[in-house]
Amino acid sequence: PYEGYWEGLALSNHCSKDCENDGKPDDQLYAYVDGAYSGENFLICNCFFGGVELYLGEDPAFVESLMVANTTYLHAVATQGNHLTLPLDKNTSIWIEAAGYLDGSDQIQATAKFYLYENGEPAFDGWEKWYMTSMCKVNKIVFDIKWSGKDYNPYPAYFAMDDIRLVRHKTIE
C-alpha cells in the first residue's frame, strides 16, 4: 500500500498474518492481526526516526489504555529475519516506551513500557490491551521503540494501535 519513507502516524485498514507475502518493507501499513480492534481503521506508528508524538488536545487527559498489535513487517523480521537482520535471539527484546508531557512542557511527566517481543518471542498474539495506569494527566504522548541490543536498532520500529481510551475530568465550580 505504501512505498517510500515516512515517519509518524498513519491511518490504515490493512491486516495480514501472511509474513511471506505481506512482511516486506513495502508493507509497512499491515497489522499482524485479522482486523481492526474497533471499527475499520487503526493507526500504524513508525518510530524508526525517533519518538512519534500523539497530541491529545489542549484539555489534558488521563490515558486509561490503548490496544496494541505488531505489524506484519516487524513480525516477519523479528521471527524470520531478512537480508539485513537476523531473527531475534533468546537474549533480545523489543518494547514501546511512552512518555507523557503536559501543557507544552519538555519535561516528562510519566512513562510507560509495553513489550512487543520478550526474550526473542512475541509477547502476545493479535490485539493486546496496554494499561497506561502509570501515565498521569497529559496533553501529549511520545512513543518510541527500544530494544535490548546495543547501538542502532536493526528491527522495523512499527506497531499498530487502536481504541485509545482517554478520561477527561472537569472541575465543577
Side-chain angles (χ1 to χ4, degrees):
Y2 183 83
E3 294 184 31
Y5 295 100
W6 63 283
E7 62 182 298
L9 297 168
L11 188 64
S12 180
N13 61 3
H14 298 285
C15 302
S16 176
K17 288 195 161 190
D18 181 359
C19 290
E20 187 67 33
N21 294 308
D22 298 323
K24 297 177 178 55
D26 292 348
D27 304 316
Q28 300 163 8
L29 297 179
Y30 281 83
Y32 189 70
V33 293
D34 294 322
Y37 180 77
S38 63
E40 297 178 9
N41 299 311
F42 49 86
L43 292 174
I44 296 288
C45 186
N46 176 359
C47 301
F48 187 75
F49 297 103
V52 172
E53 295 182 8
L54 177 63
Y55 182 65
L56 305 176
E58 289 183 27
D59 186 19
F62 291 96
V63 182
E64 181 182 284
S65 64
L66 60 104
M67 299 304 292
V68 175
N70 283 303
T71 62
T72 308
Y73 180 38
L74 171 57
H75 188 74
V77 176
T79 59
Q80 302 168 13
N82 66 13
H83 66 285
L84 299 173
T85 306
L86 293 174
L88 292 175
D89 62 33
K90 65 181 180 173
N91 299 314
T92 308
S93 297
I94 299 174
W95 63 91
I96 306 166
E97 282 188 1
Y101 297 85
L102 183 61
D103 295 327
S105 169
D106 60 352
Q107 183 176 2
I108 295 173
Q109 300 295 311
T111 60
K113 183 188 282 191
F114 185 84
Y115 280 88
L116 298 171
Y117 294 86
E118 286 187 273
N119 303 317
E121 298 293 326
F124 57 91
D125 186 32
W127 290 102
E128 184 75 13
K129 187 174 273 193
W130 181 2
Y131 292 98
M132 311 238 349
T133 53
S134 64
M135 194 67 61
C136 58
K137 205 171 193 181
V138 295
N139 296 87
K140 175 178 75 174
I141 301 174
V142 177
F143 295 99
D144 205 356
I145 300 280
K146 303 290 185 180
W147 77 305
S148 57
K150 295 179 181 175
D151 303 319
Y152 169 78
N153 176 7
Y155 297 94
Y158 304 90
F159 68 95
M161 70 172 109
D162 201 356
D163 201 34
I164 302 165
R165 297 207 175 240
L166 304 178
V167 178
R168 297 189 193 273
H169 295 285
K170 297 208 178 210
T171 305
I172 299 174
E173 297 180 31

